[in-house]
Amino acid sequence: MAQLAEEILAALDTEQRAVATAVRGPVCVIAGAGTGKTRAITHRLAYAVDIGVVDPQRILALTFTARAAGEMRTRLRALGVPNVAARTFHAAALKQLMYFWPHVLGGRFPSLLTTKTGFLGEAINRANVSATKSNSVLRDVAGEIEWAKVIGLAPDEYIKAVDDYARPIRVSNNKVDATQIAKVYEAYESLKKQERAIDFEDVLLLTVGMLEEERDVRDRVRDQYRYFTVDEYQDVSPLQQRLLDLWLGKRDDICVVGDPAQTIYSFAGATPAFLLNFTNKYPGAEVIRLTSGYRSTPEIINTANTILRSASLGHDKGRGCPVNCGWGNQEAQFYTWERKKNARVENGNLVLEAHLENWEDARYTSTRLVSKYKGDWKYGRIEVRAQLPKGKGIWPAIWMLPTDN
């Protein structure tokens, strides 16, 4: 082994080293916060480059924020790999779309909206919807449109989808229903077309369309990028997964990293389903778990992992996934919270059965539970994991209470 490769691996713990040396085929890394996942995946890329597995210019490393992408590039440069394309999904798609636009469509590239605010204000007027145009209202309306677009809904499909997904519509200080949102959505799309403008969801949609329809473009992109890493994979949306599948084709040199218990963008269409089903899509995938936390005491991490395993919130049933509680030195227990009716303790889990229509109902019910079980609100939290279609399961979340109560 080359000296540099030895140095790359020497900086890792045993679990991280297992990630770094798994340089071929589909790899799934289940890693909670504080377990050193960014260190593991950047060292994996550096190690793969150093031993000659991949050309750094053939790597596409994807994450969800520009800051995270920048941190990944910084770490890779420090490891002697300065030429890796570490980008957000949107940045990677935009770069490809702009490059191929003259070849595929010709003409001037559309204006890119960095904010929807101005266009949405005009769209509300055109749709004759009586809603104030405060920043909070425009933000909430934008959120509904973004959710619809990333799961592939046209304006005329939005109303039915809201009912199918039991999606609560929350527009600040305004009584705006699904029909009105659909009208604003339609007016917004019409206005963009008129002004020759696109938003960031359009960037993904247009790139998907380009890759699906243009074989030459698809082949060139696949030739450019042959080795993929996706961080925070639990927050991938259906649209982003569709794009990732087009980039990959029938190849399987992909490493995904995530924690199904940390999905934070479900309100925007993200789902941990792609992470949870990774081994179904790639039966031969290597699954590696990072369980050594570096932000909390071992007692907190071990307790959380134990309860998560019993709740089957991990990558596969019965094993669970690591999670860093991040609650200081307070020992804690995790409990499952399910969307049905009444509350009970079952198999060590606190199960809430209630038909909760919105977030305020959830918060109120939780406050009552804290009182019932002698908990303390400041130690607890609720995390809505996903909004599932009616009749297709639960609205899962996690409730956390201190064990000393």
Side-chain angles (χ1 to χ4, degrees):
M1 187 184 300
Q3 182 176 356
L4 179 57
E6 291 179 349
E7 293 174 358
I8 291 171
L9 298 181
L12 307 176
D13 66 26
T14 302
E15 294 170 337
Q16 294 166 352
R17 187 184 181 106
V19 174
T21 55
V23 294
R24 279 298 188 189
V27 177
C28 179
V29 181
I30 306 298
T35 56
K37 62 184 179 64
T38 304
R39 169 183 284 267
I41 60 175
T42 51
H43 281 67
R44 177 181 182 270
L45 293 174
Y47 180 72
V49 169
D50 189 70
I51 65 175
V53 168
V54 63
D55 182 333
Q57 295 184 345
R58 295 291 185 261
I59 296 172
L60 182 57
L62 298 157
T63 188
F64 282 82
T65 67
R67 180 178 179 180
E71 180 184 354
M72 193 177 294
R73 289 191 296 269
T74 298
R75 293 194 186 204
L76 287 168
R77 280 195 298 269
L79 291 168
V81 189
N83 299 319
V84 171
R87 303 184 178 119
T88 64
F89 273 89
H90 291 90
L94 180 61
K95 188 175 181 66
Q96 293 173 20
L97 188 63
M98 293 182 69
Y99 181 82
F100 288 107
W101 188 275
H103 170 69
V104 175
L105 295 172
R108 177 178 59 87
F109 190 78
S111 301
L112 179 62
L113 299 179
T114 57
T115 175
K116 296 179 175 66
T117 301
F119 276 54
L120 281 177
E122 177 59 26
I124 289 173
N125 291 336
R126 293 190 179 191
N128 294 317
V129 171
S130 57
T132 59
K133 301 179 187 65
S134 65
N135 288 336
S136 59
V137 167
L138 296 175
R139 180 196 63 226
D140 292 342
V141 172
E144 288 303 303
I145 292 174
E146 289 162 5
W147 171 78
K149 295 179 79 167
V150 301
I151 65 172
L153 300 173
D156 60 352
E157 299 171 313
Y158 173 80
I159 298 173
K160 183 177 184 302
V162 166
D163 184 61
D164 288 344
Y165 283 80
R167 181 176 176 84
I169 298 175
R170 296 182 294 273
V171 178
S172 302
N173 301 319
N174 283 267
K175 294 182 179 180
V176 180
D177 59 23
T179 300
Q180 292 171 311
I181 293 288
K183 290 180 179 178
V184 175
Y185 181 10
E186 183 176 16
Y188 170 73
E189 292 298 314
S190 176
L191 181 59
K192 285 197 289 106
K193 184 176 181 180
Q194 174 187 316
E195 298 297 326
R196 193 175 171 77
I198 59 175
D199 58 27
F200 282 107
E201 290 71 46
D202 293 327
V203 169
L204 298 182
L205 287 164
L206 288 167
T207 304
V208 164
M210 178 180 69
L211 293 173
E212 287 179 340
E213 299 296 327
E214 301 291 332
R215 180 175 179 177
D216 177 61
V217 173
R218 185 169 63 247
D219 289 345
R220 290 174 66 182
V221 171
R222 288 178 181 175
D223 181 64
Q224 174 66 44
Y225 298 115
R226 306 177 187 180
Y227 200 81
F228 296 84
T229 296
V230 186
D231 194 12
E232 305 294 356
Y233 191 56
Q234 77 278 352
D235 281 319
V236 164
S237 71
L239 179 56
Q240 289 167 331
Q241 182 63 49
R242 187 176 166 192
L243 179 57
L244 179 61
D245 288 340
L246 284 165
W247 282 332
L248 268 169
K250 295 181 179 180
R251 301 168 297 180
D252 63 1
D253 263 329
I254 178 171
C255 173
V256 300
V257 187
D259 177 0
Q262 292 192 66
T263 301
I264 61 174
Y265 292 113
S266 57
F267 67 92
T271 170
F274 300 114
L275 175 61
L276 293 169
N277 292 323
F278 189 81
T279 52
N280 293 330
K281 185 171 184 176
Y282 300 103
E286 183 173 359
V287 179
I288 304 170
R289 288 171 173 79
L290 299 182
T291 59
S292 299
Y294 295 96
R295 294 182 194 164
S296 290
T297 64
E299 292 81 7
I300 291 178
I301 296 170
N302 291 337
T303 301
N305 287 341
T306 299
I307 304 303
L308 280 172
R309 290 188 189 101
S310 69
S312 297
L313 288 173
H315 179 73
D316 55 12
K317 187 175 181 180
R319 294 195 64 182
C321 63
V323 66
N324 179 342
C325 304
W327 290 76
N329 293 322
Q330 178 74 50
E331 286 194 359
Q333 281 184 295
F334 276 84
Y335 298 92
T336 58
W337 175 38
E338 297 185 345
R339 181 183 180 226
K340 294 179 183 176
K341 187 178 182 181
N342 297 326
R344 68 183 186 276
V345 176
E346 180 178 295
N347 297 326
N349 294 328
L350 176 62
V351 180
L352 170 65
E353 296 189 3
H355 187 77
L356 303 178
E357 298 294 341
N358 56 55
W359 178 255
E360 286 305 316
D361 284 351
R363 193 180 191 281
Y364 172 77
T365 305
S366 299
T367 305
R368 294 292 299 274
L369 279 172
V370 171
S371 175
K372 179 180 176 71
Y373 291 97
K374 296 181 170 57
D376 188 338
W377 172 256
K378 70 181 179 180
Y379 291 120
R381 76 164 181 253
I382 301 168
E383 295 178 5
V384 177
R385 299 298 180 203
Q387 295 180 18
L388 305 175
K390 286 182 178 178
K392 294 185 179 180
I394 62 172
W395 186 2
I398 289 176
W399 177 252
M400 181 174 169
L401 292 174
T403 56
D404 60 358
N405 286 328

